[in-house]
């Protein structure tokens, strides 16, 4: 969740006065990690009721007191009483929702092939450790969102009524928010800066008995507790949409994030650019979010929901009013798809760049005067058009050039689908690239499969010098396309037709670890010529993942990965294990296996309580949560539950 500093946070009016100060100080800055987020659910089997457990603090405290875990450096490094240690045991962290846990490996993995086979066991281990420190009726599940968060009735344990001065929500209580001062301040200051509550409107799925036009029946138009209660009377609620009004509806979502450590800044910038066009593809392929606030949605992924949940833009920045106090109109939320390319690659054409990019030109000039090149200066000067949302008064007293807190303050609250991460001032972790769009999956097998695929794709990119450049505007369109119901089968996405450079192939090392970099090529690929529009076309997810069945068609990401694996020395046993993961993704892309979103929709549609009115009842929610927990343990083996997603042979390895 970003920088968890301790201090005295400023309310928005005072933070606003110091925003420029932080932006100016923030630019004064001289392996593989996979992050998993869990929902902690509580199941009352007698009452057939599932709720979100708000015992995050108790669970983290139990983990922190585990002597064996702490002795080996695991535990909870974000608790101020415990030092973080670089060990192999998992570490657990607080997240925005008091019903969430974040888990990371104790130290990054290598990216050798044998290391990749440890990803799935490590994920299973994290889940076991988390469960061992919970109550018997609590479970760590990996659903993206809780189906009835914000729905009428009790959806948390313990129960708290909706409302409170921090979120000022009609639907959720302040108590769902982590009490660490950063989180409530972030929520309150986003609302205050915006001048109204956030407005999240997710299209509702129209079933045979869904009232149409649909007007969200949970909205209270007669509430007069806070000034922001006028929002619903002033048009915040859209027709045929599920309406939500608080940051918790977005930041209470779980995801699967992968951080790659590059060998140097050049490789990091290259991976940032080349992985960016893959973001919408992987978002659609991992779709797992069809339910919100007790309703069935007409979308399958979480991204826009979170984007709206942290959108702090004012009416002027949104273009609703003429510019007066704001410096510019900003096209995207601070949680959005990427708007920049940063690699000094001869193949990067100016036509690929975002024509609507907003940049703080004064900060860009200062960065370039300090020696930063134009592309990277443009990237950071774009991120820094945003105001810092949480400012601690203690950080304004002196500028400490040995710390990067001001930079991280802004960097960590620009939630784009890729993140370029400079080395921390106090750690030797190198240049990193964070791949952020993927949805969390129900099982550790699935999460491992998608993680391993992305690692192998990065190896293929670097080894074959692949070129996935696409105009940023097309990637932005693709992110919207990825939200469509069953986009993995029903939609097409812009994608580059020919990824190979027009030159001699590289020679590869036979290092069996898979970590060796290819030998330097004879020459860099030439700058492309010809119309940019000729470089890409609309493709299905199946074509992008498995390849086009036509002459000189796109070869497919999995065939590219297999070509890479065939070019290095990998033992047969390892290849067979990796093939388990590739086969899952191959079949998800072709439709032979369902996405999580499709499986959840089917579960709801077949439930005896479902009236085909787009409503998810408490009983349906309970049964779904129990089924997900069952699938997590059995992975398609036990009673065949979940096999539509996982296939016949997806269970744990012997």
């Amino acid at each position: 969740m970003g920088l968890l500093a301790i201090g005295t946070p400023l309310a928005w009016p005072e933070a606003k006065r110091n925003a420029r100060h932080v932006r100016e100080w923030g630019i004064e800055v001289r392996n593989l990690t996979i992050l998993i987020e869990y929902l902690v659910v509580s199941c009352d089997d007698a009452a057939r009721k599932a709720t979100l457990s708000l015992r995050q603090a108790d669970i983290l405290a139990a983990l922190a007191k585990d002597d064996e875990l702490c002795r080996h450096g695991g535990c909870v490094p974000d608790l101020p009483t415990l030092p973080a240690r670089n060990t192999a045991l998992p570490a657990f962290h607080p997240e925005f929702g008091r019903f969430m846990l974040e888990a990371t490996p104790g130290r990054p993995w290598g990216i050798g092939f044998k290391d990749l086979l440890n990803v799935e066991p490590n994920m299973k281990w994290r889940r076991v450790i988390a469960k061992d420190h919970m109550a018997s009726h609590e479970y760590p599940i990996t659903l993206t969102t809780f189906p009835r968060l914000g729905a009428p009735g009790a959806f948390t344990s313990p129960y708290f009524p909706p409302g409170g001065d921090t979120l000022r929500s009609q639907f959720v209580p302040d108590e769902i928010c982590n009490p660490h001062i950063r989180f409530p301040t972030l929520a309150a200051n986003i609302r205050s800066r915006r001048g109204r509550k956030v407005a999240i409107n997710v299209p509702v799925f129209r079933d045979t008995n869904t009232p149409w036009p649909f007007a969200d029946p949970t909205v209270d138009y007669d509430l007069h507790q806070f000034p922001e209660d006028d929002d619903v009377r002033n048009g915040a609620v859209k027709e045929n949409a599920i309406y939500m009004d608080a940051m918790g509806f977005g930041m209470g979502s779980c995801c699967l994030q992968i951080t790659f450590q590059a060998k140097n800044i050049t490789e990091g910038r290259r991976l940032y650019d080349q992985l960016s066009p893959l973001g919408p593809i992987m978002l659609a392929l991992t779709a797992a979010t069809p339910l919100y606030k007790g309703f069935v949605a007409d979308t399958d992924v979480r991204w826009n929901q979170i984007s709206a949940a942290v959108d702090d833009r004012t009416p002027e920045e949104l273009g609703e009013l003429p510019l007066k106090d704001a410096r510019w109109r900003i096209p995207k939320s601070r949680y959005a798809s990427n708007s920049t390319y940063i690699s000094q690659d001869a193949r990067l054409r100016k036509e690929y760049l975002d024509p609507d990019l907003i940049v703080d030109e004064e900060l860009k000039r200062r960065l370039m005067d300090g020696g930063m090149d134009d592309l990277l200066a443009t990237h950071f000067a774009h991120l820094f058009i945003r105001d810092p949302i949480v400012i601690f008064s203690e950080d304004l007293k002196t500028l400490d050039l040995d710390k990067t807190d001001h930079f991280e303050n802004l960097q960590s609250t620009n939630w784009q689908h890729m993140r370029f991460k400079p080395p921390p001032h106090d750690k030797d972790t190198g240049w990193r690239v964070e791949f952020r769009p993927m949805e969390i999956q129900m099982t550790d097998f699935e999460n491992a499969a998608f993680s391993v695929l992305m690692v192998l794709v990065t190896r293929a990119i670097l080894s074959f010098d692949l070129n996935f450049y696409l105009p940023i505007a097309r990637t932005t369109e693709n992110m919207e396309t990825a939200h469509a119901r069953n986009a993995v089968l029903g939609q097409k996405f812009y994608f580059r037709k020919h990824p190979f450079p027009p030159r001699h192939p590289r020679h590869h090392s036979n290092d069996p670890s898979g970590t060796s970099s290819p030998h330097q090529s004879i020459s860099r690929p030439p700058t492309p010529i010809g119309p940019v529009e000729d470089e890409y076309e609309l493709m299905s997810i199946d074509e992008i993942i498995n390849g086009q069945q036509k002459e000189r068609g796109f070869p497919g990401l999995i065939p590219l990965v297999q070509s890479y694996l065939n070019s290095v020395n990998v033992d047969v046993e390892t290849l067979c294990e990796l093939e388990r993961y590739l086969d899952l993704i191959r079949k998800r892309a072709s439709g032979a296996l369902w996405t999580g979103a499709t499986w959840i929709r089917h579960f709801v549609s077949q439930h005896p309580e479902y009236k085909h009115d787009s409503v998810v009842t408490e009983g349906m929610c309970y049964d779904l949560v129990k089924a997900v927990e069952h699938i997590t343990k059995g992975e398609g083996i036990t009673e065949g539950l979940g096999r539509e997603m996982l296939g016949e042979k997806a269970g744990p390895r012997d």
Side-chain angles (χ1 to χ4, degrees):
M1 182 59 199
L3 183 67
L4 286 181
I6 300 295
T8 307
L10 304 180
W12 177 245
E14 191 173 355
K16 181 179 180 181
R17 289 193 292 273
N18 288 279
R20 183 73 185 182
H21 196 58
V22 173
R23 277 194 296 269
E24 291 175 351
W25 282 9
I27 63 171
E28 302 292 344
V29 193
R30 318 209 212 265
N31 308 325
L32 172 67
T33 300
I34 300 171
L35 180 151
I36 297 284
E37 294 172 333
Y38 304 98
L39 298 177
V40 182
V41 296
S42 173
C43 290
D44 184 338
D45 294 334
R48 289 190 63 251
K49 188 175 180 65
T51 53
L52 289 166
S53 172
L54 301 185
R55 292 197 328 108
Q56 178 197 81
D58 295 334
I59 295 166
L60 290 175
L63 286 159
K65 292 176 182 176
D66 187 322
D67 292 338
E68 181 67 20
L69 195 60
C70 294
R71 192 159 46 247
H72 292 89
C75 293
V76 190
D78 283 331
L79 291 184
T81 57
L82 288 172
R85 284 164 248 164
N86 189 26
T87 64
L89 278 169
F92 294 86
H93 313 265
E95 252 295 345
F96 178 90
R98 202 177 291 190
F99 48 83
M100 302 173 71
L101 286 179
E102 176 183 295
T104 57
R107 63 167 177 252
W109 289 293
I111 54 174
F113 299 122
K114 292 294 186 183
D115 294 301
L116 296 183
L117 301 186
N118 291 326
V119 169
E120 184 182 353
N122 184 274
M123 289 180 175
K124 293 180 185 297
W125 192 22
R126 292 185 228 178
R127 198 187 295 263
V128 167
I129 291 174
K131 172 58 183 154
D132 285 347
H133 293 80
M134 295 178 185
S136 60
H137 60 275
E138 293 175 330
Y139 305 93
I141 65 170
T142 43
L143 282 177
T144 314
T145 60
F146 186 71
R148 286 185 55 84
L149 175 64
F155 52 83
T156 64
S157 296
Y159 170 78
F160 293 95
D165 190 55
T166 297
L167 299 178
R168 301 189 179 183
S169 172
Q170 284 197 18
F171 311 110
V172 295
D174 281 358
E175 284 80 5
I176 69 166
C177 182
N178 186 313
H180 185 290
I181 194 62
R182 179 179 188 262
F183 296 109
T185 302
L186 189 65
N189 283 359
I190 283 175
R191 188 193 68 250
S192 182
R193 186 188 189 282
R194 179 181 168 86
R196 52 192 169 178
K197 290 190 291 188
V198 297
I200 310 162
N201 285 278
V202 177
V204 71
F205 171 66
R206 185 179 185 180
D207 210 337
T208 53
N209 295 326
T210 305
W212 209 261
F214 178 84
D216 190 331
T218 66
V219 178
D220 185 353
Y221 288 90
D222 296 320
L223 193 63
H224 294 276
Q225 186 176 6
F226 298 107
E228 293 89 347
D229 292 333
D230 287 338
D231 291 356
V232 298
R233 293 181 283 275
N234 293 330
V237 184
K238 305 304 180 187
E239 189 175 72
N240 301 327
I242 306 160
Y243 172 70
M244 294 165 279
D245 66 351
M247 183 175 170
F249 284 107
M251 287 304 183
S253 303
C254 298
C255 69
L256 174 66
Q257 288 179 198
I258 308 178
T259 301
F260 302 98
Q261 181 172 327
K263 68 177 181 181
N264 53 39
I265 185 174
T266 301
E267 184 176 279
R269 292 171 72 167
R270 186 172 165 204
L271 283 176
Y272 178 92
D273 281 15
Q274 295 302 325
L275 290 175
S276 183
L278 302 184
I281 311 308
M282 300 310 297
L283 177 62
L285 192 56
T286 56
T289 321
L291 308 179
Y292 300 104
K293 211 183 73 171
F295 296 105
V296 184
D298 203 34
T299 57
D300 271 1
V301 299
R302 78 200 186 285
W303 192 266
N304 283 348
Q305 171 204 5
I306 308 178
S307 177
V310 295
D311 192 352
D312 68 333
R313 290 175 295 171
T314 66
E316 292 179 22
E317 291 169 337
L318 286 164
E320 298 172 355
L321 296 175
L323 289 179
K324 180 181 177 183
D325 298 319
R327 294 183 292 166
W328 34 58
R329 180 182 175 275
I330 303 177
K332 296 179 180 179
S333 166
R334 63 198 303 148
Y335 196 112
S337 58
N338 282 19
S339 294
T340 58
Y341 285 130
I342 62 175
S343 179
Q344 293 176 306
D345 189 326
R347 300 170 296 185
L348 175 57
R349 303 176 63 172
K350 62 178 176 44
E351 293 93 338
Y352 302 155
L353 303 179
D354 188 349
D356 300 319
L357 189 69
I358 304 297
V359 172
D360 187 323
E361 294 293 348
E362 172 59 22
L363 288 182
K364 178 180 176 180
R365 181 191 62 77
R366 290 185 58 191
L367 289 168
M368 294 185 68
D369 287 348
M372 191 176 286
D373 62 83
D374 181 81
L375 282 168
L376 204 55
T378 298
H379 170 76
F380 287 117
H382 167 65
L383 297 184
F384 277 41
I385 66 172
R386 312 287 180 177
D387 283 335
I389 299 299
V390 179
I391 301 176
F392 293 101
S393 60
E394 292 83 356
D395 291 337
L396 297 175
K397 295 177 181 178
T398 58
L399 172 59
D400 186 348
L401 290 176
D402 291 327
K403 297 176 65 178
T404 57
D405 285 1
H406 291 297
F407 171 79
E408 289 298 336
N409 191 347
L410 281 159
Q411 165 93 335
S412 66
T413 53
N414 272 276
W415 298 281
Q416 298 186 342
H417 82 272
M418 298 289 303
R419 183 178 282 160
F420 182 64
K421 305 176 74 170
H425 74 284
D426 57 347
K427 296 178 182 178
D428 185 22
T429 53
W431 297 88
R432 293 154 297 150
V433 175
E434 196 172 85
F435 190 74
R436 302 170 47 80
M438 292 193 293
E439 307 249 287
I440 196 75
Q441 306 294 289
M442 295 183 205
T443 69
D444 299 308
F445 169 69
E446 296 166 275
N447 288 316
F450 284 106
S451 301
V452 167
L453 172 71
M454 292 312 301
V455 174
L456 294 176
V457 166
T458 64
R459 300 307 302 167
I461 287 171
L462 296 174
S463 294
F464 296 149
D465 214 6
L466 299 179
N467 178 8
F468 292 135
Y469 272 125
L470 189 71
I472 284 172
R474 299 287 85 80
T475 297
T476 301
E477 290 182 52
N478 282 347
M479 286 294 282
E480 291 301 313
T481 302
H483 284 74
R485 178 163 42 93
N486 203 26
V488 68
L489 297 182
Q491 300 294 321
K492 291 196 173 185
F493 297 77
Y494 293 107
F495 208 75
R496 191 175 189 89
K497 293 188 284 187
H498 305 300
F500 290 108
R503 59 182 174 82
H504 298 295
R506 294 183 173 194
H507 300 287
H508 302 280
S509 156
N510 286 326
D511 186 339
S513 72
T515 61
S516 60
S517 295
H519 298 298
Q520 183 63 38
S521 59
I522 298 173
S523 63
R524 292 297 302 154
T527 301
I529 58 174
V532 167
E533 292 75 16
D534 290 347
E535 297 176 2
Y536 59 87
E537 66 183 23
L538 286 168
M539 300 184 198
S540 68
I541 295 286
D542 187 29
E543 290 175 320
I544 294 169
I545 297 297
N546 295 320
Q548 292 180 311
Q549 302 301 311
K550 65 179 184 180
E551 186 177 356
R552 301 193 72 245
F554 181 72
L557 293 180
I558 286 183
L560 286 170
V561 163
Q562 290 174 319
S563 294
Y564 164 68
L565 292 173
N566 290 335
S567 72
V568 292
N569 186 16
V570 188
D571 64 88
V572 174
E573 181 182 359
T574 300
L575 279 175
C576 290
E577 293 291 344
L578 295 175
E579 175 58 26
R580 294 171 60 244
Y581 300 133
L582 298 181
D583 191 56
L584 173 80
I585 296 165
R586 182 186 297 116
K587 290 177 178 177
R588 285 277 178 94
S590 70
L593 294 177
W594 295 354
T595 63
T598 297
W599 188 89
I600 292 171
R601 288 182 184 280
H602 179 76
F603 184 93
V604 167
S605 70
Q606 300 301 306
H607 196 280
E609 291 184 18
Y610 185 56
K611 299 179 180 179
H612 298 277
D613 55 359
S614 305
V615 174
V616 179
T617 65
E618 289 185 342
M620 294 161 63
C621 180
Y622 168 81
D623 288 339
L624 175 60
V625 167
K626 293 295 285 187
V628 170
E629 171 62 12
H630 198 71
I631 290 171
T632 298
K633 292 178 179 177
E635 296 192 335
I637 299 300
T638 308
E639 300 172 7
L641 191 61
R643 285 191 178 180
E644 300 92 341
M645 293 184 293
L646 302 170
E648 294 295 324
K649 299 179 180 179
R653 288 177 288 151
D654 294 331

